[in-house]
Amino acid sequence: MELSLPSHVACSSAPSAQPSKAVARVSPASLSGSASRIRLFSAAGSKSRSFMGDSPARSTVVLCSASLDHNGASVPEARAIGTGGRIGEVKRVTKETNVSVKINLDGTGVADSSTGIPFLDHMLDQLASHGLFDVHVRATGDIHIDDHHTNEDVALAIGTALLQALCDRKGIHRFGDFSAPLDEALIHVALRKEKWTSHKRFIWRPHLSFDLQIPTRRVGTYDTQLVEHFFQSLVNTSGMTLHIRQLAGKNSHHIIEATFKAFARALRQATEYDLRRQGTIPSSKGVLSRT
């Protein structure tokens, strides 16, 4: 695919001093979740330049941005790292559980979860598939007692991984809203990322509003009380406001699965880049970071 860019193209934090026409050629492979590569050609057809971040997920990444003057539209600051996206990786070890989580927000929907709780694995598959996140979870825990600790610690680790992957949250939509139908069930989820510093004091405002009427105590061997606890734990470590409402539904499996699907789609909306924002902070306060 080839795009004419009659504007400046800037890589790293320093803007280009000499705006000029350029052509950006984007290969299909760069859209598949692999490392992003953008080749820039001058209007005169001189030497091309290739930009591909190759730093590991936890090191400083290369930021590339470009403005596109076409009917007032613009493209946002984009992140290019060798592993192909915004990645959060967390390991949580307690006397009760051992949990490792890796999430790529710019993935392709790869689901690879093994928690020892089959129904939870099925729900994490929904998170990956409908959010288009790559989700890798490994967990062992005291499920000989019950699923409570493993369910909780997986959610805590996922929330922390989301927080890590989003980094400074520049340029994202921040808000997400989705209603998911599944047969007779209909679940509405709305969320936003909640973190900023105000008057030199760090403010953390996670919030969960949970309104599901799940008619049975279990789905298979999974205790349905753990659904609310999962989302409360995830909210606490990710720092988000999350509202979950049941608009219709009678089947417990359908209600819970529609909830995870709606959450995945709302989270995808919130974490995707806003083309009009051009890499700016999505807050009137101008800050969404810890310091």
Side-chain angles (χ1 to χ4, degrees):
M1 180 173 67
E2 182 173 300
L3 299 174
S4 293
L5 305 179
S7 61
H8 70 277
V9 177
C11 278
S12 78
S13 58
S16 173
Q18 296 289 337
S20 62
K21 284 183 176 287
V23 172
R25 293 176 184 168
V26 184
S27 65
S30 67
L31 305 177
S32 64
S34 60
S36 299
R37 183 183 292 271
I38 302 174
R39 297 191 68 84
L40 301 178
F41 298 83
S42 70
S46 58
K47 291 183 179 179
S48 65
R49 293 178 293 165
S50 177
F51 299 92
M52 181 169 64
D54 55 4
S55 52
R58 294 185 179 178
S59 64
T60 303
V61 298
V62 177
L63 301 180
C64 295
S65 63
S67 295
L68 180 63
D69 298 324
H70 181 68
N71 294 332
S74 57
V75 296
E77 186 176 76
R79 187 182 305 271
I81 63 178
T83 46
R86 296 166 294 169
I87 293 175
E89 189 168 4
V90 173
K91 188 170 181 64
R92 177 182 174 86
V93 180
T94 71
K95 292 181 179 180
E96 299 161 338
T97 65
N98 188 324
V99 178
S100 63
V101 170
K102 185 175 182 180
I103 293 180
N104 182 354
L105 296 180
D106 303 311
T108 58
V110 176
D112 180 21
S113 297
S114 177
T115 65
I117 307 173
F119 187 76
L120 180 58
D121 291 344
H122 180 45
M123 294 303 102
L124 296 179
D125 288 350
Q126 309 310 308
L127 178 62
S129 177
H130 294 277
L132 285 181
F133 310 128
D134 292 344
V135 179
H136 176 94
V137 179
R138 290 290 181 271
T140 56
D142 54 359
I143 56 176
H144 61 283
I145 299 174
D146 65 11
D147 296 340
H148 182 97
H149 294 141
T150 302
N151 181 87
E152 176 183 21
D153 286 359
V154 166
L156 290 171
I158 289 175
T160 304
L162 288 172
L163 186 66
Q164 184 185 107
L166 281 170
C167 190
D168 54 19
R169 285 162 297 286
K170 288 183 178 180
I172 64 171
H173 283 277
R174 188 187 175 199
F175 294 84
D177 183 286
F178 196 84
S179 293
L182 180 56
D183 293 349
E184 88 298 341
L186 178 61
I187 307 298
H188 175 243
V189 169
L191 63 85
R192 79 170 184 173
K193 293 300 296 178
E194 284 280 13
K195 193 171 71 165
W196 66 77
T197 299
S198 177
H199 304 297
K200 298 183 179 180
R201 185 168 67 89
F202 177 56
I203 296 176
W204 186 266
R205 300 199 315 182
H207 174 81
L208 173 67
S209 178
F210 185 89
D211 184 16
L212 296 185
Q213 296 83 45
I214 305 173
T216 63
R217 293 185 59 184
R218 293 189 179 274
V219 175
T221 60
Y222 187 75
D223 183 351
T224 55
Q225 288 184 329
L226 296 180
V227 178
E228 180 175 5
H229 193 54
F230 177 92
F231 284 106
Q232 184 66 69
S233 300
L234 187 151
V235 160
N236 288 346
T237 52
S238 66
M240 71 171 65
T241 289
L242 176 62
H243 290 259
I244 300 173
R245 293 189 304 154
Q246 180 178 332
L247 304 180
K250 296 179 180 180
N251 181 281
S252 298
H253 190 133
H254 292 168
I255 292 168
I256 299 170
E257 184 169 339
T259 298
F260 274 83
K261 288 179 176 179
F263 173 71
R265 292 298 296 261
L267 185 62
R268 176 181 167 186
Q269 288 178 10
T271 57
E272 284 184 338
Y273 286 112
D274 185 341
L275 295 179
R276 297 178 60 197
R277 191 163 288 284
Q278 294 185 284
T280 60
I281 295 291
S283 171
S284 58
K285 295 176 175 61
V287 175
L288 277 175
S289 60
R290 294 191 180 198
T291 57

